[in-house]
Coordinates of all heavy atoms in Angstrom, one line a residue:
M1 N -15.8 11.7 4.0 CA -14.6 12.5 3.7 C -14.5 12.5 2.1 O -14.6 11.5 1.5 CB -13.4 12.0 4.3 CG -12.1 12.8 3.9 SD -10.6 12.0 4.5 CE -10.8 12.0 6.3
P2 N -14.4 13.7 1.5 CA -14.2 13.8 0.1 C -13.0 13.0 -0.4 O -12.0 12.9 0.3 CB -14.1 15.3 -0.2 CG -14.5 16.0 1.0 CD -14.4 15.1 2.1
E3 N -13.1 12.4 -1.6 CA -12.0 11.6 -2.1 C -10.6 12.3 -2.1 O -9.7 11.7 -1.7 CB -12.4 11.1 -3.5 CG -11.5 10.0 -4.0 CD -12.0 9.5 -5.3 OE1 -13.2 9.5 -5.6 OE2 -11.1 9.0 -6.1
K4 N -10.7 13.5 -2.6 CA -9.4 14.3 -2.7 C -8.8 14.4 -1.3 O -7.5 14.2 -1.2 CB -9.7 15.7 -3.3 CG -8.4 16.5 -3.5 CD -8.8 17.8 -4.3 CE -7.7 18.7 -4.5 NZ -7.2 19.4 -3.3
E5 N -9.5 14.7 -0.3 CA -9.0 14.9 1.0 C -8.5 13.6 1.6 O -7.5 13.5 2.3 CB -10.1 15.5 1.9 CG -9.6 15.9 3.3 CD -10.8 16.5 4.1 OE1 -11.8 16.9 3.5 OE2 -10.7 16.5 5.3
F6 N -9.3 12.5 1.3 CA -8.8 11.2 1.7 C -7.4 10.8 1.2 O -6.6 10.4 2.0 CB -9.8 10.1 1.3 CG -9.4 8.7 1.6 CD1 -9.5 8.2 2.9 CD2 -8.7 8.0 0.6 CE1 -9.0 6.9 3.2 CE2 -8.2 6.7 0.9 CZ -8.4 6.2 2.2
Y7 N -7.3 11.0 -0.1 CA -5.9 10.7 -0.7 C -4.8 11.6 -0.2 O -3.7 11.2 0.1 CB -6.0 10.8 -2.2 CG -6.6 9.5 -2.8 CD1 -8.0 9.5 -3.2 CD2 -5.9 8.3 -2.8 CE1 -8.5 8.3 -3.7 CE2 -6.4 7.1 -3.3 CZ -7.8 7.1 -3.7 OH -8.3 5.9 -4.2
E8 N -5.1 12.9 0.0 CA -4.1 13.8 0.6 C -3.7 13.3 2.0 O -2.5 13.3 2.3 CB -4.7 15.2 0.7 CG -4.7 15.9 -0.6 CD -5.4 17.3 -0.6 OE1 -6.0 17.6 0.5 OE2 -5.5 17.9 -1.6
N9 N -4.7 12.9 2.8 CA -4.4 12.4 4.1 C -3.6 11.1 4.1 O -2.7 10.9 4.8 CB -5.7 12.1 4.9 CG -6.3 13.4 5.4 OD1 -5.6 14.4 5.5 ND2 -7.5 13.3 5.8
M10 N -3.9 10.2 3.1 CA -3.2 8.9 3.0 C -1.7 9.2 2.6 O -0.8 8.6 3.1 CB -3.9 8.1 1.9 CG -3.2 6.7 1.8 SD -4.0 5.6 0.7 CE -3.7 6.2 -0.9
Y11 N -1.5 10.1 1.6 CA -0.1 10.4 1.2 C 0.6 11.1 2.3 O 1.8 10.9 2.5 CB -0.1 11.2 -0.1 CG -0.6 10.4 -1.3 CD1 -1.6 10.8 -2.1 CD2 -0.1 9.1 -1.5 CE1 -2.1 10.1 -3.2 CE2 -0.6 8.3 -2.5 CZ -1.6 8.8 -3.4 OH -2.1 8.0 -4.4
L12 N 0.0 11.9 3.1 CA 0.6 12.6 4.2 C 1.0 11.5 5.3 O 2.2 11.5 5.8 CB -0.3 13.6 4.9 CG 0.2 14.4 6.0 CD1 1.3 15.3 5.5 CD2 -0.9 15.2 6.7
Y13 N 0.2 10.5 5.5 CA 0.5 9.4 6.4 C 1.7 8.7 5.9 O 2.6 8.4 6.7 CB -0.7 8.5 6.5 CG -0.4 7.2 7.2 CD1 -0.4 7.0 8.5 CD2 -0.1 6.0 6.4 CE1 -0.1 5.8 9.1 CE2 0.2 4.8 6.9 CZ 0.2 4.7 8.3 OH 0.5 3.5 8.9
I14 N 1.7 8.4 4.6 CA 2.9 7.6 4.1 C 4.2 8.5 4.2 O 5.2 8.0 4.7 CB 2.6 7.3 2.6 CG1 1.5 6.2 2.5 CG2 3.9 6.7 1.9 CD1 1.0 5.9 1.1
R15 N 4.1 9.7 3.9 CA 5.3 10.6 3.9 C 5.8 10.7 5.4 O 7.0 10.8 5.6 CB 4.9 12.0 3.5 CG 5.2 12.2 2.0 CD 5.3 13.7 1.6 NE 4.3 14.5 2.1 CZ 3.1 14.7 1.6 NH1 2.8 14.1 0.5 NH2 2.2 15.6 2.1
N16 N 4.9 10.7 6.3 CA 5.3 10.9 7.7 C 5.6 9.6 8.5 O 6.0 9.7 9.7 CB 4.2 11.6 8.5 CG 4.1 13.1 8.1 OD1 5.1 13.7 7.5 ND2 2.9 13.7 8.2
L17 N 5.6 8.5 7.8 CA 6.0 7.3 8.5 C 7.5 7.4 8.9 O 8.3 7.9 8.1 CB 5.9 6.1 7.5 CG 4.5 5.4 7.3 CD1 4.6 4.4 6.2 CD2 4.1 4.7 8.6
P18 N 7.9 6.9 10.1 CA 9.3 7.0 10.4 C 10.1 6.2 9.4 O 9.6 5.1 8.9 CB 9.3 6.3 11.8 CG 7.9 6.4 12.3 CD 7.0 6.4 11.1
E19 N 11.3 6.6 9.1 CA 12.1 6.0 8.1 C 12.3 4.5 8.4 O 12.3 3.7 7.4 CB 13.4 6.7 7.9 CG 13.3 8.0 7.1 CD 12.7 7.9 5.7 OE1 13.1 6.9 5.0 OE2 11.8 8.7 5.4
D20 N 12.5 4.2 9.6 CA 12.8 2.8 9.9 C 11.5 1.9 9.8 O 11.6 0.7 9.9 CB 13.4 2.6 11.3 CG 12.5 3.1 12.4 OD1 11.6 4.0 12.2 OD2 12.7 2.7 13.6
E21 N 10.4 2.5 9.6 CA 9.1 1.7 9.4 C 8.7 1.7 8.0 O 7.8 0.9 7.6 CB 8.0 2.3 10.3 CG 8.2 2.1 11.8 CD 7.1 2.8 12.6 OE1 6.0 2.9 12.1 OE2 7.4 3.1 13.8
K22 N 9.3 2.6 7.2 CA 8.9 2.7 5.8 C 9.6 1.8 4.9 O 10.7 1.5 5.0 CB 9.2 4.2 5.4 CG 8.4 4.7 4.2 CD 8.9 6.1 3.8 CE 8.5 7.1 4.8 NZ 8.6 8.5 4.3
T23 N 8.8 1.2 3.9 CA 9.3 0.3 2.9 C 10.3 1.1 2.0 O 10.0 2.2 1.6 CB 8.2 -0.3 2.0 OG1 7.2 -0.8 2.9 CG2 8.7 -1.3 1.1
E24 N 11.4 0.5 1.7 CA 12.4 1.1 0.9 C 11.8 1.3 -0.5 O 10.9 0.5 -1.0 CB 13.6 0.1 0.7 CG 14.8 0.7 0.0 CD 14.8 0.4 -1.4 OE1 14.3 -0.7 -1.8 OE2 15.3 1.2 -2.2
R25 N 12.1 2.4 -1.2 CA 11.5 2.9 -2.4 C 11.3 1.8 -3.5 O 10.2 1.6 -4.0 CB 12.3 4.1 -3.0 CG 11.7 4.7 -4.2 CD 10.6 5.7 -3.8 NE 9.7 6.0 -4.9 CZ 8.6 6.6 -4.7 NH1 8.1 7.0 -3.5 NH2 7.8 7.0 -5.7
T26 N 12.4 1.1 -3.8 CA 12.4 0.1 -4.9 C 11.4 -1.0 -4.5 O 10.6 -1.5 -5.3 CB 13.8 -0.5 -5.2 OG1 14.6 0.7 -5.5 CG2 13.7 -1.4 -6.4
E27 N 11.5 -1.5 -3.3 CA 10.6 -2.5 -2.8 C 9.2 -2.1 -2.8 O 8.3 -2.8 -3.2 CB 11.0 -2.9 -1.4 CG 10.1 -3.9 -0.6 CD 9.8 -5.2 -1.3 OE1 10.6 -5.6 -2.2 OE2 8.9 -5.9 -1.0
Y28 N 8.9 -0.8 -2.4 CA 7.6 -0.2 -2.5 C 7.0 -0.3 -3.9 O 5.9 -0.8 -4.1 CB 7.6 1.2 -2.0 CG 6.3 1.9 -1.9 CD1 5.3 1.4 -1.1 CD2 6.0 3.0 -2.6 CE1 4.0 2.0 -1.0 CE2 4.8 3.7 -2.6 CZ 3.8 3.2 -1.8 OH 2.6 3.8 -1.7
E29 N 7.8 0.1 -4.8 CA 7.3 0.1 -6.3 C 7.1 -1.4 -6.7 O 6.1 -1.6 -7.5 CB 8.3 0.8 -7.1 CG 8.3 2.3 -6.9 CD 9.4 3.1 -7.5 OE1 10.2 2.5 -8.2 OE2 9.5 4.3 -7.2
N30 N 8.0 -2.3 -6.3 CA 7.7 -3.7 -6.7 C 6.4 -4.2 -6.1 O 5.7 -5.0 -6.7 CB 8.9 -4.6 -6.1 CG 10.2 -4.4 -6.9 OD1 10.1 -3.9 -8.0 ND2 11.3 -4.7 -6.3
R31 N 6.2 -3.9 -4.8 CA 4.9 -4.3 -4.2 C 3.7 -3.8 -5.0 O 2.8 -4.6 -5.3 CB 4.9 -3.8 -2.7 CG 5.8 -4.5 -1.8 CD 5.7 -3.9 -0.4 NE 6.6 -4.6 0.5 CZ 6.6 -4.5 1.8 NH1 5.8 -3.6 2.4 NH2 7.4 -5.2 2.6
L32 N 3.7 -2.5 -5.3 CA 2.6 -2.0 -6.0 C 2.4 -2.5 -7.4 O 1.3 -2.7 -7.9 CB 2.7 -0.4 -6.0 CG 2.6 0.3 -4.7 CD1 2.6 1.8 -4.9 CD2 1.4 -0.1 -3.9
A33 N 3.6 -2.8 -8.1 CA 3.5 -3.5 -9.4 C 2.8 -4.8 -9.3 O 2.0 -5.2 -10.2 CB 4.9 -3.6 -9.9
K34 N 3.1 -5.6 -8.2 CA 2.4 -6.9 -8.1 C 1.0 -6.7 -7.8 O 0.1 -7.4 -8.3 CB 3.1 -7.7 -7.0 CG 4.5 -8.2 -7.4 CD 5.2 -8.9 -6.3 CE 6.6 -9.3 -6.9 NZ 7.5 -9.6 -5.8
C35 N 0.6 -5.7 -7.0 CA -0.8 -5.4 -6.7 C -1.6 -5.1 -8.0 O -2.7 -5.5 -8.2 CB -1.0 -4.3 -5.7 SG -0.5 -4.8 -4.0
R36 N -0.9 -4.3 -8.8 CA -1.6 -3.8 -10.1 C -1.9 -5.0 -11.0 O -2.8 -4.9 -11.8 CB -0.7 -2.8 -10.8 CG -0.8 -1.4 -10.2 CD -0.2 -0.4 -11.2 NE 1.2 -0.5 -11.3 CZ 2.1 0.1 -10.5 NH1 1.6 0.9 -9.5 NH2 3.3 0.0 -10.6
Q37 N -1.2 -6.1 -10.8 CA -1.4 -7.3 -11.7 C -2.3 -8.3 -11.0 O -2.6 -9.4 -11.5 CB -0.1 -8.0 -12.0 CG 0.8 -7.0 -12.6 CD 1.7 -7.6 -13.7 OE1 2.0 -8.8 -13.6 NE2 2.2 -6.8 -14.6
C38 N -2.8 -8.0 -9.8 CA -3.6 -8.9 -9.0 C -5.1 -8.7 -9.2 O -5.6 -7.6 -9.2 CB -3.2 -8.7 -7.5 SG -4.1 -9.8 -6.4
S39 N -5.8 -9.8 -9.3 CA -7.3 -9.7 -9.5 C -8.0 -9.3 -8.2 O -9.2 -9.0 -8.3 CB -7.8 -11.1 -10.0 OG -7.5 -12.1 -9.0
S40 N -7.3 -9.2 -7.1 CA -8.0 -8.8 -5.9 C -7.9 -7.3 -5.7 O -8.5 -6.8 -4.8 CB -7.3 -9.4 -4.7 OG -7.5 -10.8 -4.6
L41 N -7.2 -6.6 -6.6 CA -7.2 -5.1 -6.5 C -8.4 -4.5 -7.1 O -8.8 -4.8 -8.3 CB -5.9 -4.6 -7.2 CG -5.6 -3.1 -7.0 CD1 -5.3 -2.7 -5.6 CD2 -4.5 -2.7 -8.0
L42 N -9.0 -3.6 -6.4 CA -10.2 -2.9 -6.9 C -10.2 -1.5 -6.4 O -10.2 -1.2 -5.2 CB -11.5 -3.6 -6.3 CG -12.8 -3.0 -6.8 CD1 -13.0 -3.2 -8.4 CD2 -14.0 -3.6 -6.1
N43 N -10.1 -0.6 -7.3 CA -10.0 0.9 -7.0 C -9.0 1.2 -5.9 O -9.3 2.0 -5.0 CB -11.4 1.3 -6.5 CG -12.4 1.2 -7.7 OD1 -12.1 1.3 -8.8 ND2 -13.7 1.0 -7.3
G44 N -7.8 0.6 -6.0 CA -6.8 0.9 -5.1 C -6.8 0.1 -3.8 O -5.9 0.2 -2.9
M45 N -7.9 -0.7 -3.6 CA -8.1 -1.4 -2.4 C -7.9 -2.9 -2.6 O -8.3 -3.4 -3.7 CB -9.5 -1.1 -1.8 CG -9.7 -1.7 -0.5 SD -11.4 -1.4 0.1 CE -11.2 0.3 0.6
C46 N -7.3 -3.5 -1.7 CA -7.2 -5.0 -1.7 C -8.4 -5.6 -1.2 O -8.8 -5.4 -0.1 CB -6.0 -5.4 -0.9 SG -5.8 -7.2 -0.7
R47 N -9.1 -6.5 -2.0 CA -10.3 -7.1 -1.5 C -10.1 -8.2 -0.5 O -11.0 -8.7 0.1 CB -11.1 -7.7 -2.7 CG -11.7 -6.5 -3.6 CD -12.6 -7.1 -4.6 NE -11.8 -7.7 -5.7 CZ -12.3 -8.2 -6.8 NH1 -13.6 -8.1 -7.0 NH2 -11.6 -8.8 -7.7
E48 N -8.8 -8.6 -0.3 CA -8.5 -9.7 0.7 C -8.5 -9.1 2.1 O -8.9 -9.8 3.0 CB -7.2 -10.3 0.3 CG -7.1 -10.9 -1.1 CD -8.0 -12.0 -1.3 OE1 -8.3 -12.8 -0.4 OE2 -8.5 -12.2 -2.5
C49 N -7.9 -7.9 2.2 CA -7.7 -7.4 3.6 C -8.5 -6.0 3.8 O -8.6 -5.6 4.9 CB -6.3 -7.2 3.9 SG -5.5 -6.0 2.8
G50 N -9.0 -5.4 2.7 CA -9.7 -4.2 2.8 C -8.8 -3.0 3.0 O -9.3 -1.9 3.2
C51 N -7.5 -3.2 2.8 CA -6.6 -2.0 2.9 C -6.4 -1.3 1.6 O -6.5 -2.0 0.5 CB -5.2 -2.5 3.3 SG -5.1 -3.2 5.0
F52 N -6.0 -0.1 1.6 CA -5.6 0.6 0.4 C -4.1 0.1 0.3 O -3.3 0.3 1.2 CB -5.7 2.1 0.5 CG -7.0 2.6 0.2 CD1 -8.0 2.7 1.2 CD2 -7.4 2.8 -1.1 CE1 -9.3 3.1 0.9 CE2 -8.7 3.2 -1.4 CZ -9.7 3.4 -0.4
V53 N -3.8 -0.4 -0.9 CA -2.5 -1.1 -1.0 C -1.3 -0.1 -1.0 O -0.3 -0.5 -0.5 CB -2.4 -1.9 -2.3 CG1 -3.4 -3.1 -2.3 CG2 -2.6 -1.1 -3.6
E54 N -1.6 1.1 -1.4 CA -0.5 2.1 -1.3 C 0.0 2.3 0.1 O 1.1 2.6 0.4 CB -0.9 3.5 -1.9 CG -0.9 3.4 -3.4 CD -1.4 4.7 -4.0 OE1 -0.5 5.6 -4.2 OE2 -2.6 4.9 -4.3
M55 N -1.0 2.3 1.0 CA -0.8 2.5 2.4 C -0.2 1.2 3.0 O 0.8 1.3 3.8 CB -2.1 2.9 3.1 CG -1.9 3.5 4.5 SD -3.1 4.7 4.9 CE -4.6 3.8 4.8
R56 N -0.8 0.1 2.7 CA -0.3 -1.2 3.3 C 1.2 -1.5 2.9 O 2.0 -1.8 3.7 CB -1.2 -2.3 2.9 CG -0.8 -3.6 3.6 CD -1.8 -4.7 3.2 NE -1.5 -6.0 3.8 CZ -2.1 -6.4 5.0 NH1 -3.1 -5.7 5.5 NH2 -1.8 -7.6 5.5
A57 N 1.4 -1.3 1.6 CA 2.7 -1.6 1.0 C 3.8 -0.6 1.5 O 5.0 -1.0 1.5 CB 2.7 -1.5 -0.5
A58 N 3.4 0.5 2.0 CA 4.4 1.5 2.5 C 5.0 1.2 3.9 O 6.0 1.7 4.2 CB 3.7 2.9 2.6
V59 N 4.3 0.3 4.6 CA 4.8 -0.1 5.9 C 5.6 -1.4 5.7 O 5.1 -2.5 5.3 CB 3.6 -0.4 6.9 CG1 4.1 -0.8 8.2 CG2 2.8 0.9 7.0
R60 N 6.9 -1.3 6.1 CA 7.9 -2.4 5.8 C 7.5 -3.7 6.3 O 7.6 -4.7 5.6 CB 9.2 -2.0 6.4 CG 10.4 -2.9 6.1 CD 11.7 -2.3 6.6 NE 11.7 -1.8 7.9 CZ 11.8 -2.6 9.0 NH1 11.9 -3.9 8.9 NH2 11.8 -2.1 10.2
V61 N 6.9 -3.8 7.5 CA 6.6 -5.1 8.1 C 5.3 -5.7 7.6 O 5.0 -6.9 7.9 CB 6.6 -5.1 9.6 CG1 8.0 -4.7 10.2 CG2 5.5 -4.1 10.2
R62 N 4.5 -5.0 6.8 CA 3.3 -5.5 6.3 C 3.6 -6.4 5.1 O 4.6 -6.2 4.4 CB 2.4 -4.4 5.9 CG 1.9 -3.5 7.0 CD 0.9 -4.2 7.8 NE 0.1 -3.3 8.6 CZ -1.2 -3.2 8.7 NH1 -1.9 -4.0 7.9 NH2 -1.8 -2.3 9.4
H63 N 2.6 -7.3 4.8 CA 2.8 -8.2 3.7 C 1.5 -8.3 3.0 O 0.4 -8.0 3.6 CB 3.3 -9.6 4.2 CG 4.7 -9.6 4.7 ND1 5.8 -9.5 3.9 CD2 5.1 -9.5 6.0 CE1 6.8 -9.4 4.7 NE2 6.5 -9.5 6.0
C64 N 1.5 -8.9 1.8 CA 0.3 -9.2 1.1 C -0.5 -10.3 2.0 O 0.2 -11.2 2.5 CB 0.7 -9.8 -0.2 SG -0.6 -10.8 -1.1
P65 N -1.8 -10.2 2.1 CA -2.5 -11.0 3.0 C -2.8 -12.4 2.4 O -3.3 -13.3 3.2 CB -3.8 -10.3 3.2 CG -4.0 -9.5 2.0 CD -2.6 -9.1 1.5
L66 N -2.5 -12.7 1.2 CA -2.8 -14.0 0.7 C -1.9 -15.1 1.4 O -0.8 -14.8 1.8 CB -2.4 -14.1 -0.9 CG -3.3 -13.2 -1.8 CD1 -2.8 -13.3 -3.2 CD2 -4.8 -13.7 -1.7
S67 N -2.4 -16.3 1.4 CA -1.6 -17.3 2.1 C -0.3 -17.6 1.3 O 0.7 -17.8 1.8 CB -2.4 -18.6 2.2 OG -2.9 -19.0 1.0
R68 N -0.4 -17.4 -0.1 CA 0.8 -17.5 -0.9 C 1.1 -16.0 -1.2 O 0.7 -15.5 -2.3 CB 0.5 -18.3 -2.2 CG 0.2 -19.7 -1.9 CD 0.0 -20.5 -3.1 NE 1.3 -20.7 -3.8 CZ 1.4 -21.3 -5.0 NH1 0.3 -21.8 -5.6 NH2 2.6 -21.4 -5.6
K69 N 1.8 -15.4 -0.3 CA 2.1 -13.9 -0.4 C 2.7 -13.5 -1.7 O 3.6 -14.2 -2.1 CB 2.9 -13.5 0.7 CG 2.3 -13.7 2.1 CD 3.3 -13.3 3.2 CE 2.8 -13.6 4.6 NZ 1.4 -13.9 4.8
R70 N 2.2 -12.4 -2.3 CA 2.9 -11.9 -3.5 C 4.0 -11.0 -3.1 O 4.9 -10.6 -3.9 CB 1.9 -11.3 -4.4 CG 0.8 -12.3 -4.9 CD -0.1 -11.7 -5.9 NE -0.9 -12.7 -6.5 CZ -1.5 -12.7 -7.6 NH1 -1.5 -11.6 -8.3 NH2 -2.3 -13.7 -8.0
W71 N 4.0 -10.4 -1.9 CA 5.1 -9.6 -1.4 C 5.1 -9.6 0.1 O 4.1 -10.1 0.7 CB 5.1 -8.2 -2.0 CG 3.8 -7.4 -1.9 CD1 2.8 -7.3 -2.9 CD2 3.2 -6.7 -0.8 NE1 1.8 -6.5 -2.4 CE2 2.0 -6.2 -1.1 CE3 3.7 -6.5 0.5 CZ2 1.2 -5.4 -0.3 CZ3 2.9 -5.7 1.4 CH2 1.7 -5.2 1.0
Ligands
LIG101 S1 -1.9 -7.1 -1.3 FE1 -1.8 -9.1 -2.3 S2 -3.9 -9.8 -2.5 FE2 -4.0 -7.6 -2.1 S3 -4.0 -6.7 -4.1 FE3 -1.9 -6.7 -3.5 S4 -1.0 -8.6 -4.3 FE4 -3.3 -8.8 -4.4

C-alpha cells in the first residue's frame, strides 16, 4: 500500500474510533510527546511492539509496552 494511502487509512481509523474507546485529546498528545522522546521510536513505529504509536496511543485502554510504561 502506498505510504500516503496507509496514513489516510490510519487517520480514518483513529477518527472513527468510538468516543468511549478513544483517548482524550490532551492525554493523546501527552502520550505522543513521550514517544517522540523515546529511543524506541523509529519512523512513527514503536520498536518494542511494532505498532504505529499514533494508532496505539489513540486507543484509551492501550499502554506503552515497556515494563516501566511511559504512558
Ligand atoms: S510506546 Fe513506549 S516504548 Fe514505544 S515509542 Fe512510545 S514511549 Fe517508547
Side-chain angles (χ1 to χ4, degrees):
M1 179 187 297
E3 188 174 335
K4 182 174 180 284
E5 191 179 337
F6 173 82
Y7 279 102
E8 283 172 359
N9 283 342
M10 182 171 76
Y11 292 129
L12 185 65
Y13 166 83
I14 292 170
R15 271 202 309 278
N16 288 337
L17 277 171
E19 281 306 314
D20 61 338
E21 293 178 23
K22 199 182 289 190
T23 306
E24 189 270 326
R25 183 85 198 165
T26 306
E27 170 61 15
Y28 182 61
E29 288 167 6
N30 287 340
R31 289 179 176 190
L32 294 183
K34 288 176 183 163
C35 289
R36 280 194 291 272
Q37 306 216 334
C38 179
S39 59
S40 293
L41 185 68
L42 182 67
N43 297 329
M45 186 181 282
C46 173
R47 289 188 289 184
E48 304 296 329
C49 62
C51 294
F52 279 90
V53 294
E54 286 178 85
M55 197 147 60
R56 187 178 182 95
V59 180
R60 186 171 49 80
V61 297
R62 295 289 197 124
H63 294 282
C64 165
L66 292 176
S67 54
R68 297 183 69 182
K69 300 178 186 340
R70 295 187 173 199
W71 49 263

